[in-house]
Amino acid sequence: MSSPGAFHSVDARRSFQRYGGDGSVTAAAPVAAARPKKVDWPQPVRDYVQRAFLPENGIPGIQRTEMESKLKETITQANERDSLHTIDWKALPLPQQLIQSERAMMRRDLNPIPASERLATLDLYSPQAPGRPELPLNSKKRKSSDLFHSGHDEAVVAAPWRKASKSNGLHDRVTFADGSQPHGQDSWEDSKYQEGNLQKRQKRFENGGKGGRPGKPWATKNETPPPEEVAGPVVGRSEVLEKKYFRLTAPPNPDTVRPLAVLHRTLEMLKRKWRDERNYSYVCDQFKSLRQDLTVQHIKTEFTVNAYEIHARIALEKGDLGEYNQCQTQLRALYSQKLGGHPTEFKAYRILYFIHTCNRTDMNDVLADLTPAEKKDAAVKHALDVRSALALGNYHAFFRLYLDTPNMGAYLMDMFVVRERLAALANMCRAYKPDIKLRFVTEELGFESDGECVRFLCDSGAEGLLDEREDGVRLLSGKAGAIFDAARAAAFRRVDIKGQI
């Protein structure tokens, strides 16, 4: 006799029908599909949307996406409060106007009045009658969600685009130390609009003066300040050729900015003075002021490129890498606009500069950007040969290139030739023992004379290792190796330069 199984067989379910408690099949209850509520937009709302996107109603600086977002927010809030039919859509400001008002209020809040001015303002108010309704703590800024309140009287919740009445001014928003607020039209008129107090406040806030922000201090909360002018290029009116450089801390004054015609004459004068006087501090200061006038007027022409190139060459000649780097950075942007100039010359300078700073990352970027035509240029080819000689440790080829540098690349190579001479001497001391002729060192390391070579060796700490013999002066290379190894390690430390690109 077989034992009963440990489970009960159940028929597989082949449909989504329900089974009752008695095993009978019941039909599944249909699920009611939730249909979105259809909104019948009133015609004033449609007209409001059309007016918002008319070209004549556009405001510079406000994008279409911002308008669409504000428009959606405004209509959605009105729909949620069932006030689509009660709002006066013809009087309601357009979304771009609402955005402009919010931006103006944000700018006003970013420049608060100092505490001393706020105390002086509070002294003008004289709270007389108690019982004035208190404002909420967060009522300083109006939000778009406050524009629509269904079921409230319009006189209680005033829209920000409505003009404020005399009883809804600045005095309505002042709370004193004891928690009371000013009340009473007569006391307000007597205290605030007295002639003496009005003149004092006007002087304090006139022209954005010290101690307050510009504009009418008695402007009510709901009055929108005029939009600020968009910053743009300045058109200079100054006829002065020479002007000292000052860092701008405020918008430039057109009366102190020289127009392009005057800047042309200024550049010719500076080139002449540099040839005759060689006063670098004066010329550098004048070039910086010239570049500043070009920048504030947004002048980007071939003349701009020429001015930056001349200043960069003068800075190289005087070894001022800070000013050179500032010019080189601007020249890169100007060259990308195909404004003329000498881009290959300064690209060669850039390669030599990265050799000086040992900046391999930027060097790789420059090499990757070189075109086949640029690689054939004499200056660029020379700079690439210098890099290749140093990468291979070929100091003989390096110093031959040093003595035959095109343009003004020799000034850049002068900045790292000392460390390369120390590295070459360290290698020569290991290769040539026990001594080396001084004349051989002079020719290999690119010195102009034996005397210059001796001074370099003495400055490097090898003054006691020079031996004068019948066939000439010799360097005791067997003993000088450790000295030049230490000097080379110190010379190849990290280079950090002001204004580095």
Side-chain angles (χ1 to χ4, degrees), residues 214-425:
K216 298 184 297 182
W218 55 84
T220 59
K221 173 182 177 181
N222 295 332
E223 288 182 354
T224 303
E228 296 182 358
E229 296 183 0
V230 180
V234 176
V235 180
R237 297 191 291 263
S238 176
E239 296 294 329
V240 179
L241 294 182
E242 300 177 76
K243 186 182 76 171
K244 289 186 177 182
Y245 170 75
F246 293 102
R247 187 181 297 275
L248 290 177
T249 58
N253 183 4
D255 294 331
T256 62
V257 177
R258 295 163 292 184
L260 183 59
V262 178
L263 293 177
H264 275 281
R265 301 200 305 268
T266 299
L267 182 60
E268 295 300 324
M269 178 201 69
L270 292 178
K271 291 193 294 185
R272 185 174 59 255
K273 285 200 171 187
W274 175 246
R275 287 192 301 264
D276 298 341
E277 302 176 8
R278 316 291 291 184
N279 186 351
Y280 177 71
S281 60
Y282 165 80
V283 171
C284 181
D285 182 78
Q286 293 298 314
F287 263 105
K288 291 173 70 174
S289 68
L290 185 149
R291 287 160 41 192
Q292 186 182 71
D293 288 349
L294 290 172
T295 301
V296 299
Q297 296 180 93
H298 296 191
I299 299 175
K300 295 182 179 180
T301 61
E302 187 175 0
F303 172 77
T304 309
V305 177
N306 188 29
Y308 274 96
E309 286 182 346
I310 294 175
H311 192 189
R313 293 190 185 103
I314 294 176
L316 272 183
E317 186 176 351
K318 300 302 292 185
D320 188 355
L321 280 185
E323 290 300 329
Y324 162 76
N325 287 329
Q326 293 181 25
C327 296
Q328 175 77 296
T329 303
Q330 293 298 323
L331 284 172
R332 288 188 63 196
L334 294 172
Y335 288 148
S336 64
Q337 301 179 27
K338 309 298 183 183
L339 299 175
H342 304 83
T344 55
E345 174 190 350
F346 280 86
K347 186 158 289 189
Y349 296 157
R350 188 170 176 81
I351 294 174
L352 294 176
Y353 172 78
F354 288 142
I355 294 175
H356 170 51
T357 57
C358 302
N359 192 337
R360 298 181 180 179
T361 303
D362 289 336
M363 173 68 79
N364 292 335
D365 293 339
V366 172
L367 297 180
D369 293 339
L370 286 176
T371 63
E374 290 175 339
K375 292 179 181 179
K376 295 179 181 179
D377 181 80
V380 175
K381 186 177 183 303
H382 174 272
L384 293 176
D385 291 341
V386 170
R387 172 193 167 274
S388 178
L390 292 178
L392 296 173
N394 189 348
Y395 60 83
H396 177 83
F398 170 78
F399 288 107
R400 298 289 79 78
L401 292 168
Y402 170 68
L403 296 176
D404 188 23
T405 307
N407 299 325
M408 302 185 69
Y411 290 104
L412 274 169
M413 295 188 70
D414 283 339
M415 298 177 185
F416 59 88
V417 71
V418 172
R419 75 182 185 202
E420 298 303 333
R421 281 174 172 160
L422 292 173
L425 279 170

Side-chain angles (χ1 to χ4, degrees), residues 13-217:
R13 186 170 184 173
R14 293 182 173 83
S15 67
F16 290 100
Q17 294 177 340
R18 296 180 181 177
Y19 293 89
D22 55 355
S24 61
V25 179
T26 60
V31 180
R35 296 182 179 180
K37 181 181 178 181
K38 185 177 180 181
V39 180
D40 186 14
W41 301 109
Q43 188 61 35
V45 178
R46 300 175 184 269
D47 297 338
Y48 177 77
V49 175
Q50 293 179 357
R51 291 200 316 274
F53 293 100
L54 291 177
E56 57 268 21
N57 294 332
I59 297 178
I62 298 179
Q63 304 295 330
R64 182 183 179 91
T65 55
E66 297 179 284
M67 293 170 51
E68 293 175 351
S69 177
K70 176 59 70 174
L71 186 63
K72 180 179 179 181
E73 178 185 352
T74 303
I75 297 178
T76 302
Q77 291 177 357
N79 182 37
E80 292 175 352
R81 293 175 172 81
D82 295 331
S83 56
L84 289 174
H85 299 276
T86 59
I87 295 177
D88 186 3
W89 293 96
K90 293 183 178 180
L92 184 69
L94 298 176
Q96 53 265 43
Q97 296 172 345
L98 294 174
I99 295 173
Q100 187 182 37
S101 301
E102 293 177 358
R103 290 181 179 178
M105 187 170 294
M106 290 177 63
R107 287 195 300 267
R108 185 173 58 187
D109 293 336
L110 289 175
N111 299 307
I113 302 178
S116 59
E117 299 299 333
R118 293 198 298 269
L119 293 176
T121 306
L122 291 176
D123 292 340
L124 298 177
Y125 311 139
S126 56
Q128 297 293 336
R132 189 170 186 84
E134 293 186 0
L135 296 178
L137 295 177
N138 59 352
S139 63
K140 184 177 181 181
K141 295 183 181 179
R142 294 297 298 267
K143 300 179 181 179
S144 57
S145 59
D146 299 333
L147 303 182
F148 311 102
H149 294 277
S150 58
H152 291 270
D153 186 20
E154 185 177 356
V156 177
V157 183
W161 55 85
R162 307 286 177 83
K163 272 198 170 182
S165 61
K166 292 183 179 180
S167 62
N168 188 24
L170 183 62
H171 65 287
D172 294 331
R173 304 197 302 273
V174 175
T175 303
F176 293 94
D178 57 355
S180 62
Q181 291 181 327
H183 187 65
Q185 185 69 17
D186 297 337
S187 62
W188 171 255
E189 295 293 337
D190 293 340
S191 62
K192 179 172 183 286
Y193 289 104
Q194 289 180 355
E195 187 65 24
N197 292 335
L198 191 62
Q199 291 180 359
K200 290 180 182 179
R201 290 174 59 81
Q202 186 174 2
K203 289 180 180 180
R204 186 168 67 249
F205 287 90
E206 190 175 17
N207 298 327
K210 184 177 181 180
R213 46 186 184 189
K216 298 184 297 182

Side-chain angles (χ1 to χ4, degrees), residues 432-476:
Y432 301 95
K433 291 182 180 181
D435 51 45
I436 318 172
K437 286 186 178 181
L438 180 65
R439 187 60 193 170
F440 176 76
V441 177
T442 301
E443 293 175 354
E444 281 296 309
L445 302 186
F447 290 106
E448 295 181 357
S449 63
D450 291 344
E452 183 182 358
C453 180
V454 170
R455 286 193 298 271
F456 177 80
L457 294 174
C458 293
D459 293 340
S460 303
E463 64 275 4
L465 300 176
L466 294 173
D467 187 14
E468 187 172 358
R469 300 178 184 176
E470 293 180 358
D471 57 347
V473 180
R474 288 180 172 269
L475 173 66
L476 302 179

